[in-house]
Amino acid sequence: MELKTNAALIIIDQQKGILHPKLGRRNNPQAEERILELLGHWRRTGRPVIHVQHLSRSVDSVFWPQQSGVEFQERFQPSIGEWLIQKQVPDAFCSTGLEASLREAGIDQLIIVGVATHNSVESTARTAGNLGFEAWVVEDACFTFDKADFFGNAHSAEEVHAMSLGNLHGEYATVVSAASILMND
């Protein structure tokens, strides 16, 4: 596992709305701390940081642009020189110019963190893998929520998270821990 000097950290949807109680019970209560550790490391080593912001098309979304939930949480405010990608669907590559910007910058290794594991994280990682990027998903720097499956069976956030990571690992991305990245750099 070798982290390239220009590996991009992609932080997905760390906006105020993701903390709204209506989203339900979540897993990985330490995820934000892991994200902040990685963000600090990226900033210290001068690697590219990409902040992804969801601008929902749905008025009842926690990410609807006309309310404070769309704003980045204070601790995840982009710094000068960091990239901002705004999306309207879960996949950060869809209609955003992200792929072209990464290719233009010569970046082919992506470290993906944020929310929700089963939604924006998984869809972004799938596309990254399909486009030929070396995608890593940091399992302890992502989280999701309790969710029912198609048949109405309830699954805990831990189960949803684990299944999503299982969908990605070895197929579209490599699933790693924050510690394994920080210890090997």
Side-chain angles (χ1 to χ4, degrees):
M1 207 171 74
E2 183 181 336
L3 190 63
K4 295 181 179 180
T5 57
N6 72 340
L9 178 65
I10 299 180
I11 303 173
I12 300 178
D13 299 349
Q14 285 301 301
Q15 297 159 249
K16 293 177 181 178
I18 204 65
L19 304 174
H20 198 288
K22 82 176 191 177
L23 297 176
R25 190 187 151 283
R26 62 172 270 193
N27 69 316
N28 272 1
Q30 80 295 344
E32 289 90 346
E33 293 308 312
R34 299 296 83 77
I35 296 169
L36 290 170
E37 288 170 2
L38 292 165
L39 178 57
H41 184 74
W42 253 252
R43 287 175 172 166
R44 283 188 302 278
T45 59
R47 289 184 170 99
V49 176
I50 302 168
H51 299 268
V52 178
Q53 180 182 35
H54 191 82
L55 305 175
S56 181
R57 297 174 183 166
S58 171
V59 72
D60 25 330
S61 170
V62 296
F63 296 142
W64 175 247
Q66 306 303 318
Q67 48 81 44
S68 64
V70 75
E71 298 167 8
F72 284 109
Q73 296 173 43
E74 290 303 316
R75 57 191 171 172
F76 296 110
Q77 285 292 332
S79 290
I80 293 171
E82 295 176 347
W83 302 11
L84 171 62
I85 297 292
Q86 293 179 318
K87 63 182 178 65
Q88 292 188 316
V89 297
D91 185 346
F93 284 94
C94 186
S95 302
T96 64
L98 177 58
E99 179 187 7
S101 296
L102 290 166
R103 298 216 189 275
E104 184 177 308
I107 297 169
D108 63 0
Q109 188 180 58
L110 311 176
I111 312 311
I112 302 169
V113 301
V115 290
T117 313
H118 79 280
N119 195 342
S120 295
V121 170
E122 185 172 345
S123 63
T124 299
R126 283 174 178 263
T127 298
N130 284 336
L131 292 172
F133 290 97
E134 181 186 342
W136 297 1
V137 174
V138 186
E139 56 87 11
D140 54 349
C142 298
F143 65 92
T144 195
F145 302 93
D146 292 348
K147 185 167 177 54
D149 65 25
F150 177 77
F151 302 104
N153 301 307
H155 296 277
S156 70
E158 291 79 7
E159 292 171 318
V160 174
H161 183 75
M163 182 57 74
S164 186
L165 296 173
N167 291 340
L168 293 171
H169 187 67
E171 183 91 20
Y172 303 97
T174 300
V175 176
V176 296
S177 69
S180 68
I181 290 174
L182 297 171
M183 290 183 339
N184 288 311
D185 190 39

